[in-house]
Amino acid sequence: MAAASASASTQCFNSRLPLTDNCHSHPRHGGSSILRLQLSQIPKSRSLSSSSSSIGGAIERKDHHPQRSSFARTAAVRHLVGSVTTTQGLRFAVVVARFNEIITKQLLEGALATFKNYSIQEEDIDVVWVPGSFEIGVAAQRLGSLGRYHAILCIGAVIRGDTTHYDAVANSAASGVLSAGLKSGVPCVFGVLTCDNMEQALNRAGGKSGNKGAETALTAIEMASLFEHHLK
């Protein structure tokens, strides 16, 4: 009776496993009941090429394709570039330092000539004079905050002297123009010359090195077009 009870208990405990039709005693184990599983009834493990993840109780299956064919279905990369020919309706401000005016005035003339060559109307350009390059940044930021201009040129000339004043003004002018653009969201183009001597400055204000004011104006047109036509 006890043996029959033990056998029934064993069958009850393992009832959730797929069993053979009968339980057989193995002779090497002293007549104890050994339940044999039919391996053919056990579900095969899923392929390692797929995985599943559970999010909020829902199971999502993700199949990993070895050839990464999804790249072939990716849309073409877009390249956004400002145009120097589509200039209608663009407005500009030019902030010019009076200090070293012999240089900054020639830079301004180069910038205005470039605007004209690229069909920017005179009524769409405002020129603002400030005492020196140190004051350019704050003026540019105020102009940018007005919402009237698509880009702002910042023109100045800092020439190295006998003291460290040059380093302080040059660094402040550069960081001021950068800060003005970041805070206002309007492109502020750095057109401040930082030269070791007057000869270098003259060469870059219409001399043998070209006119950096003209180059700055061209950069401003491209940035204004980029922001107006692609980044609004």
Side-chain angles (χ1 to χ4, degrees), residues 171-188:
N171 292 334
S172 297
S175 61
V177 172
L178 173 62
S179 178
L182 294 175
K183 290 181 178 179
S184 67
V186 177
C188 294

Side-chain angles (χ1 to χ4, degrees), residues 32 40-41 51 62 75 77 83 94-95 97 129-130 138 144 148 161 165 178-179 204 214-215 219 222 227 230:
S32 63
S40 62
Q41 297 179 4
S51 61
K62 300 177 181 178
V77 176
S83 171
V94 186
V95 183
W129 290 87
V130 295
V138 65
R148 300 175 185 170
H165 182 72
L178 173 62
S179 178
R204 288 159 178 77
E215 295 178 13
T219 300
E222 182 176 341
F227 272 53
H230 299 297

Side-chain angles (χ1 to χ4, degrees), residues 15-175:
S15 62
R16 63 179 179 271
L17 297 175
L19 305 178
T20 58
D21 294 336
N22 299 309
C23 295
H24 300 275
S25 299
H26 198 287
R28 294 179 59 187
H29 288 77
S32 63
S33 297
I34 304 299
L35 304 180
R36 296 185 302 168
L37 301 179
Q38 291 182 340
L39 297 179
S40 62
Q41 297 179 4
I42 300 177
K44 293 182 179 181
S45 61
R46 294 179 179 178
S47 172
L48 294 178
S49 64
S50 63
S51 61
S52 61
S53 60
S54 177
I55 302 176
I59 298 178
E60 177 186 2
R61 179 177 297 178
K62 300 177 181 178
D63 294 326
H64 303 287
H65 198 284
Q67 295 182 351
R68 296 180 178 268
S69 59
S70 60
F71 284 105
R73 298 191 298 270
T74 302
V77 176
R78 296 177 61 205
H79 293 267
L80 307 180
V81 181
S83 171
V84 295
T85 58
T86 308
T87 60
Q88 184 176 4
L90 297 179
R91 288 184 53 82
F92 299 89
V94 186
V95 183
V96 189
R98 284 198 309 270
F99 194 79
N100 287 325
E101 187 174 0
I102 188 176
I103 302 297
T104 61
K105 187 176 180 181
Q106 294 183 57
L107 294 173
L108 174 61
E109 290 175 354
L112 295 178
T114 298
F115 281 142
K116 183 178 181 180
N117 291 338
Y118 285 87
S119 302
I120 306 298
Q121 304 300 313
E122 291 184 354
E123 57 267 25
D124 291 329
I125 305 169
D126 292 332
V127 178
V128 179
W129 290 87
V130 295
S133 296
F134 189 86
E135 291 76 30
I136 289 176
V138 65
Q141 183 175 329
R142 173 59 65 87
L143 290 167
S145 67
L146 297 177
R148 300 175 185 170
Y149 307 102
H150 295 93
I152 300 169
L153 280 71
C154 301
I155 292 177
V158 185
I159 300 175
R160 188 180 298 277
D162 296 331
T163 68
T164 57
H165 182 72
Y166 165 89
D167 297 315
V169 175
N171 292 334
S172 297
S175 61

